[in-house]
Amino acid sequence: PAADADPVAGARRLLASGAILAVKGLGGYHLACDATDPAAVARLRRRKDRGNKPFAVMAGGLDDIEHLVRLAPEERGLLTGSTRPIVLLRRRTDTPSAPDRPWPAETVAPGSPDLGVMLPYTPLHRLLFGLPGDAEGPRLLVMTSGNVSGEPIVTDDGEALRRLAHLADAWLTHDRPIHVPCDDSVVRVCDGRPLPVRRARGYAPLPLVLPVPVRPALAVGGDLKNAFCLAEGRRAWLSAHIGDMDDLATQRAFERAVAQMESITPVRPRLLVADRHPGYRSARWALRSAAGRPVVRVQHHHAHVASAMAEQGLDGGRPVLGVAFDGTGYGDDGAVWGGEFLLADYEGFTRLAHLAYVPLPGGDAAVHRPYRTALAHLRAAGIGWSDDLACTAACPPDERRVLQRQLERNLNCVPTSSMGRLFDAVSSLTGICHRAGYEAQAAVELEAAALRAPAGDTAAYTFAVMAPQPGGGPLRADPGPVLAAIAGDLRAGVAPALVAARFHRAVTGLVHRVCVSARDTHGVDTVALTGGVFLNSLLSSDCAAALGADGFTVLRHHLVPPGDGGLALGQLVVAARVEERTGSPD
């Protein structure tokens, strides 16, 4: 389109008419549309191939969102402070009548208990909402990263014209070049403290203080939500969010970001650190780029626990009980771990307990179709696939027959102890989410259902905790009794919201029970809650409350994400202690 005589006024007019704009920001381009226009939101979602993943919105001011969400003082401070992240705010259930206030389309954040909100953080953003006397434009804008889902954010003007041509109807740009790509940070507040979801603009690359000194090192993080970390002495620079490393463009963005970070810090890495997963692209990059430098491999969940310890300033002199719950992490036995209780310090860990293994049929196919995970869990628990269960009905009959043979013959089935996959299974079993269009959708919607449960119900399901097998080993937490109780409740007509709440209480009860057992056996009274599952603020808050009431010291993330975005920090401190103890990489 031709340039407008007053480009900002023209942009407001286009947004008001339903157009999608590519807007140049500080760390890249956004794609913007009127958040109150269902057709515009649907068009942006379709063009961006976004699935049902929630969009964030930018509001002109707090007055435009107070009728939509609950705002505690801590959340107001984050929204209006200098960093201006996206803040995940709990939606109001007592929605006041506010006909003169803007209302986002239902399709902005479908199925989510939260609305991600940010306020303008550049002069251009402020002008986009209009100054006094300007013609009024939309008061709520969808602001999502300028890219196709899964690709890095676009920063170059010429590239924006090419790569965003099929996404945007017009471009609003300026002459200030973007040298370093940087997405918006995402934060939520849990129990009055910040809980980082994505650490980027406003936070990275501000240095973190380490509780132990490290030699010059580069930790490359994981393959999902990748962020790397450079460190030397007692300072660490955790990069901004890079993205998922399964995309070639993201891998190239990773290489550029490493080079840029090394150019602005004094660190010249003499040691590289990576995850133990043999297929991780980040780990392969470390091996290719070592150039004679040692490469230390760190177990995924050990790194999660070490990350929580490091940000809380622990020197590792005493072990902690790490509760590491996530979707996928490579275990030392080759299984997919993710429901782990580790007695850990920086030097090593002992696996005290874990969720009992369940076959994950088809790997990623089960992740994208939670009904497959639900059926695998039911079979492992000895529960039949009856047609009255929602997950059975969701699986097409032909696929169900193939899945049954696959599980019987253990074909392409990796054993998993993942708590994230158990959340997926329960979400499908209760009929809440059968197909996941984005990571953790089933778990997000299960949490949303639990939050809708009527107050007063205190019932909870109970895991069976089984003693180690002959010869020793960790305790195993069997979800079979939980699944059987859920199936019974559903058949008795119990509402899915109540089932979801009871399941959350069951997980909290399991965490408390295993931690008490570990304290009795090992004398440990400090617990670190870590891993992506603890982005669930309901679960995090309930676990912390139960443990705190029983005298435990509870460590939670406030500086780096509990998910894989904080993994590199833990990798660094573990690698430093390995080298200190052995003088060579593990």
Side-chain angles (χ1 to χ4, degrees), residues 71 119 159 217 329 352 358 364 404 443 584 586:
L71 277 172
L119 297 186
E159 188 180 16
L352 297 183
V358 170
D364 285 347
Q404 186 170 6
S584 62
D586 186 21

Side-chain angles (χ1 to χ4, degrees), residues 105-162:
E106 289 295 324
T107 52
V108 166
S112 173
D114 303 311
L115 185 65
V117 178
M118 59 180 161
L119 297 186
Y121 59 84
T122 71
L124 182 59
H125 293 148
R126 172 52 60 200
L127 292 172
L128 203 53
F129 285 97
L131 299 177
D134 288 337
E136 186 173 337
R139 294 164 64 186
L140 286 180
L141 294 175
V142 167
M143 279 282 193
T144 186
S145 55
N147 58 359
V148 175
S149 293
E151 294 183 359
I153 191 169
V154 173
T155 58
D156 178 75
D157 296 338
E159 188 180 16
L161 290 172
R162 295 191 304 272

Side-chain angles (χ1 to χ4, degrees), residues 216-217 230-232 261-271 293:
L230 276 173
E232 182 175 0
M261 184 81 84
E262 289 188 9
S263 74
I264 63 171
T265 67
V267 183
R268 299 297 173 264
R270 299 201 300 268
L271 170 71
R293 295 172 291 182

Side-chain angles (χ1 to χ4, degrees), residues 375 378 383-395 400 428-432 434 483-494 496:
L375 293 173
L378 290 179
I383 301 171
W385 295 356
S386 58
D387 290 335
D388 63 335
L389 296 176
C391 55
T392 306
C395 184
R400 199 185 313 168
S428 179
L429 178 58
T430 53
I432 291 169
H434 301 303
L483 298 170
I486 289 174
D489 271 357
L490 292 170
R491 286 169 173 149
V494 175

Side-chain angles (χ1 to χ4, degrees), residues 156-468:
D156 178 75
D157 296 338
E159 188 180 16
L161 290 172
R162 295 191 304 272
R163 285 180 54 193
L164 304 182
H166 65 297
L167 301 176
D169 301 309
W171 287 254
L172 180 62
T173 186
H174 53 73
D175 60 1
R176 181 179 179 181
I178 298 173
H179 295 291
V180 181
C182 199
D183 281 289
D184 294 311
S185 292
V186 182
V187 181
R188 75 178 343 136
V189 172
C190 183
D191 294 334
R193 299 288 304 277
L195 175 62
V197 178
R198 184 171 71 197
R199 189 176 183 273
R201 177 185 53 75
Y203 297 92
L206 296 176
L208 301 165
V209 178
L210 295 176
V212 293
V214 301
R215 64 181 291 192
L218 166 64
V220 299
D223 269 20
L224 295 178
K225 299 180 176 64
N226 178 269
F228 61 87
C229 194
L230 276 173
E232 182 175 0
R234 288 184 178 267
R235 289 196 299 173
W237 289 267
L238 186 65
S239 78
H241 168 84
I242 304 295
D244 295 346
M245 297 286 279
D246 58 354
D247 184 82
L248 181 59
T250 305
Q251 294 171 41
R252 290 171 175 164
F254 170 89
E255 291 184 336
R256 292 193 298 269
V258 169
Q260 190 274 336
M261 184 81 84
E262 289 188 9
S263 74
I264 63 171
T265 67
V267 183
R268 299 297 173 264
R270 299 201 300 268
L271 170 71
L272 300 181
V273 195
D275 194 273
R276 285 184 181 171
H277 195 298
Y280 267 12
R281 293 168 178 85
S282 53
R284 291 177 179 174
W285 181 91
L287 293 171
R288 290 196 310 269
S289 306
R293 295 172 291 182
V295 178
V296 176
R297 307 293 287 268
V298 177
Q299 199 280 326
H300 190 90
H301 301 93
H302 186 199
H304 273 311
V305 178
S307 176
M309 293 172 63
E311 78 154 75
Q312 293 290 335
L314 274 63
D315 64 6
R318 294 186 59 196
V320 306
L321 178 60
V323 183
F325 288 172
D326 62 4
T328 301
Y330 185 75
D332 285 348
D333 57 359
V336 175
W337 289 8
E340 312 305 314
F341 296 84
L342 308 180
L343 183 66
D345 54 23
Y346 295 136
E347 294 187 7
F349 69 92
T350 300
R351 194 185 192 197
L352 297 183
H354 63 85
L355 279 183
Y357 285 140
V358 170
L360 186 67
D364 285 347
V367 175
H368 297 308
R369 285 175 272 175
Y371 62 78
R372 293 175 65 93
T373 305
L375 293 173
H377 273 80
L378 290 179
R379 186 177 185 277
I383 301 171
W385 295 356
S386 58
D387 290 335
D388 63 335
L389 296 176
C391 55
T392 306
C395 184
D398 289 345
E399 183 179 354
R400 199 185 313 168
R401 285 190 289 271
V402 172
L403 181 62
Q404 186 170 6
R405 288 196 296 271
Q406 184 179 3
L407 290 168
E408 287 171 351
R409 301 173 184 177
N410 198 31
L411 295 174
N412 194 24
C413 291
V414 180
T416 181
S417 61
S418 168
M419 182 61 77
R421 298 290 80 81
L422 180 59
F423 268 78
D424 289 352
V426 173
S427 187
S428 179
L429 178 58
T430 53
I432 291 169
C433 180
H434 301 303
R435 293 180 179 270
Y438 62 91
E439 185 184 5
Q441 178 180 348
V444 167
E445 294 184 1
L446 186 67
E447 180 189 7
L451 291 167
R452 295 193 298 269
D457 180 77
T458 58
Y461 311 120
T462 304
F463 288 80
V465 178
M466 299 176 290

